[in-house]
């Protein structure tokens, strides 16, 4: 659906709540049912400090997750749509924008600051028709109690600001955003290669198992066909026009591969086997060939947000590793814990300088107001944290190492907070284990963790690496492990697709799909499998 509507209301600011709830409802006859829920953290989209900024967001796409797409009456995972737990299925996305304006009376308008005026919504100027209006009277307050608690400062504030007599909620129609306002869609490649599949729950028995790789609606092998051909002219609509509610249970739907698609999102069925040790777990032997999956997908290229997130995350990881080293040294007598802490602080300051320089040179693609505010906010915080680290390095003594570690942990906590990106364009990646037309177990992988970049600091921590992922069943107990995967993953813009196999170990040789009817293999085509030399030195032939 396309709304092109603006919801505005007047309320006390700052609010007592820490999150803004955005929920999509299914307008059913028997009652509205939640389709998906997303929360906007006010701490991540605002800065209440001096020279800060009021809550602002977008216009940006918000990815929605919840239960599998099925009818609402038989939805056994309905709590996932309410945002009560992590979503196990991609449900769609919504384009939204949020702005907060400070209310003031006409007498105070003359002294209204330029900072407040700069964040006024541009969308409010596009309104041309009021669709509906709801209002409710505020509850009357005890005047005696207010006068008894109010002081001179509060009386002055009441004199310079006018409190409205009613809280109004207005829904107004607005003009649609211009085409490609958030940026043109770019082609991305998602690549994965399976190295090991172990620790499979024995309840599955000796069945044939396949794995599905998907990002958004791309790669899902269902009866809903998502076109991904760039030349068809419909790829911009394929992602956005998928129905959020289906009549059939997605977990039990028979899988129908997309005919003619250049994607390879599902592995060949393989039978599970009990382990040789005691048979308590099952596995899938992958001795001489490692199957590969790849999915082309189309999204707006706002990867600069994830690159910034990855850089800050790596800063935090190195700092956390250094803190653990200092704590280990403190447990030993006559150790050089003080020297290691001083060295750690100098390394952190050097990283802050490198990051600040990169932030000044970084070119952002169509940044919105929140992107600009966060850039200034993060840079200011990095400078403050670097000064705090220098202060720790200069004042630490052998007796105060433990005390100074508490200051370093506060720096680490702040870096973790800055690394959280509220505006995520690329959806998370899902790996599903399927058997007999049923989805059995899944794992959800954040897109930024496998995102490629030419700059090493901006690359995801698991990009181009063999990583362990643990699968769990939908609705299973906390901590349950249904299977363990060793997977090599890569995600990036198609122009960098040749780098998807450059980080593979040297003993693995990529095997590409054989050309048919004289059609040459595209230069950016990823391999269909990886060949491994056996113990006798015989190599698997390269089928080209």
């Amino acid at each position: 659906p396309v709304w092109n509507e603006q919801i505005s209301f007047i309320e006390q600011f700052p609010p007592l709540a820490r999150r803004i709830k955005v929920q999509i409802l299914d307008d059913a006859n028997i009652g509205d049912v939640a389709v998906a829920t997303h929360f906007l953290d006010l701490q991540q989209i605002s800065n209440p400090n001096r020279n800060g900024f009021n809550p602002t967001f977008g216009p940006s796409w918000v990815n929605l997750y919840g239960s599998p797409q099925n009818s609402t009456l038989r939805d056994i995972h309905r709590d996932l749509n309410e945002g009560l737990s992590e979503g196990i299925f991609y449900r769609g996305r919504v384009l939204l924008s949020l702005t907060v304006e400070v209310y003031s009376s006409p007498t105070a308008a003359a002294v209204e600051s330029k900072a407040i005026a700069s964040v006024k919504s541009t969308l409010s100027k596009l309104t041309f028709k009021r669709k509906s209006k709801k209002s409710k009277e505020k509850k009357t307050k005890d005047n005696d109690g207010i006068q008894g608690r109010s002081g001179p400062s509060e009386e002055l504030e009441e004199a310079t600001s006018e409190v409205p007599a009613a809280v109004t909620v207005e829904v107004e129609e607005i003009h649609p955003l211009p085409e490609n306002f958030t940026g043109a869609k770019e082609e991305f490649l998602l690549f994965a290669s399976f190295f090991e599949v172990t620790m499979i729950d024995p309840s599955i028995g000796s069945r044939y198992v396949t794995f599905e790789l998907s990002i958004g609606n791309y790669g899902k092998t269902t009866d809903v066909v998502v076109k991904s051909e760039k030349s068809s002219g419909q790829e911009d609509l394929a992602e956005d026009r998928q129905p959020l509610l289906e009549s059939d249970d997605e977990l039990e739907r028979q899988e129908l591969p997309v005919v003619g698609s250049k994607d390879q999102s599902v592995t060949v069925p393989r039978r599970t086997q009990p382990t040789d040790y005691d048979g308590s777990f099952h596995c899938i032997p992958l001795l001489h060939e490692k199957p590969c999956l790849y999915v082309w997908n189309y999204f707006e290229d706002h990867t600069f947000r994830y690159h910034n997130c990855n850089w800050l995350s790596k800063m935090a990881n190195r700092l956390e590793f250094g803190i653990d080293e200092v704590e280990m040294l403190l447990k030993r007598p006559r150790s050089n814990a003080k020297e290691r802490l001083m060295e750690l602080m100098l390394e952190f300051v050097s990283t802050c300088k490198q990051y600040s320089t990169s932030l000044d040179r970084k070119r952002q693609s169509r940044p919105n107001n929140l992107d600009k505010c966060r850039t200034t906010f993060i840079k200011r915080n990095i400078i403050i944290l670097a000064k705090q680290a220098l202060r720790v390095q200069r004042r630490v003594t052998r007796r105060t190492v433990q005390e100074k570690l508490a200051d370093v942990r506060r720096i680490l906590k702040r870096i973790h907070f800055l690394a959280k990106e509220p505006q995520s364009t690329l959806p998370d990646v899902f790996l599903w284990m399927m058997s007999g037309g049923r989805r059995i177990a899944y794992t959800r992988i954040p897109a930024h963790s496998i995102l490629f970049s030419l700059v090493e600091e901006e690359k995801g921590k698991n990009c181009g690496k063999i990583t362990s992922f643990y699968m769990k069943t939908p609705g299973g107990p906390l901590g349950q492990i249904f299977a363990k995967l060793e997977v090599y993953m890569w995600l990036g813009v198609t122009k960098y697709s040749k780098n998807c196999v450059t980080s593979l170990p040297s003993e693995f040789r990529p095997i590409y799909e054989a050309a048919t009817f004289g059609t040459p293999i595209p230069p950016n085509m990823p391999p269909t499998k990886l060949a491994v030399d056996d113990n006798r030195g015989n190599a698997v032939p390269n089928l080209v």
Side-chain angles (χ1 to χ4, degrees), residues 203-255:
S203 61
I204 196 173
S206 298
R207 302 178 184 175
Y208 282 96
V209 169
T210 60
F211 292 92
E212 177 198 77
L213 176 69
S214 65
I215 176 170
N217 284 329
Y218 298 100
K220 291 182 181 178
T221 53
T222 64
D223 53 359
V224 179
V225 179
V226 180
K227 296 182 180 180
S228 58
E229 288 78 5
K230 203 170 185 179
S231 60
S232 63
Q234 298 295 329
E235 71 277 359
D236 292 347
L237 303 178
E239 174 70 18
D240 304 328
R241 289 186 175 179
Q242 298 303 316
L244 294 179
L245 293 178
E246 299 291 339
S247 58
D248 298 328
D249 193 347
E250 184 69 19
L251 290 178
E252 300 180 358
R253 182 178 301 167
Q254 184 67 31
E255 305 301 329

Side-chain angles (χ1 to χ4, degrees), residues 64-80:
L64 304 174
Y65 306 92
S67 66
Q69 298 173 359
N70 54 15
S71 62
T72 58
L73 293 179
R74 296 185 290 113
D75 195 347
I76 61 176
H77 307 291
R78 188 177 301 177
D79 290 344
L80 303 180

Side-chain angles (χ1 to χ4, degrees), residues 349-413:
V349 172
S350 176
T351 307
C352 289
K353 292 180 180 179
Q354 184 182 5
Y355 172 78
S356 181
T357 303
S358 174
L359 200 61
D360 293 334
R361 299 176 180 176
K362 188 71 175 179
R363 178 180 174 271
Q364 298 181 349
S365 175
R366 293 181 179 268
N368 54 35
N369 187 42
L370 181 56
D371 292 323
K372 299 175 183 178
C373 292
R374 274 182 56 84
T375 300
T376 305
F377 173 70
I378 292 176
K379 185 176 180 180
R380 185 182 297 117
N381 275 265
I382 289 296
I383 295 175
I384 295 175
L385 295 178
K387 292 181 179 179
Q388 293 177 359
L390 283 176
R391 192 179 302 115
V392 171
Q393 187 265 340
R394 293 169 182 170
R395 298 181 180 180
V396 64
T397 62
R398 295 190 180 276
R399 295 183 178 181
T400 61
V401 174
Q402 190 69 43
E403 177 184 348
K404 295 302 179 182
L405 270 181
D407 298 335
V408 180
R409 290 192 188 95
R410 283 191 286 269
I411 295 176
L412 175 63
K413 183 179 179 181

Side-chain angles (χ1 to χ4, degrees), residues 31-70:
D32 295 339
V33 179
V35 174
T37 304
H38 182 78
F39 294 96
L40 298 176
D41 193 339
L42 288 175
Q43 292 184 340
Q44 296 179 6
I45 62 175
S46 66
N47 178 20
N49 298 329
R50 185 179 180 182
N51 298 326
F53 57 93
N54 290 328
T56 179
F57 184 89
S60 178
W61 289 100
V62 172
N63 298 303
L64 304 174
Y65 306 92
S67 66
Q69 298 173 359
N70 54 15

Side-chain angles (χ1 to χ4, degrees), residues 453-469:
S453 175
L454 295 175
V455 181
E456 184 63 29
E457 293 296 320
E458 298 177 350
K459 187 188 300 184
K461 63 178 181 179
N462 297 327
C463 178
K465 297 179 181 179
I466 302 176
T467 311
S468 298
F469 297 103

Side-chain angles (χ1 to χ4, degrees), residues 161-176:
S161 63
E162 179 183 348
V163 179
V167 176
T168 60
V169 179
E170 297 182 354
V171 180
E172 300 173 324
E173 293 184 0
I174 60 175
H175 289 288

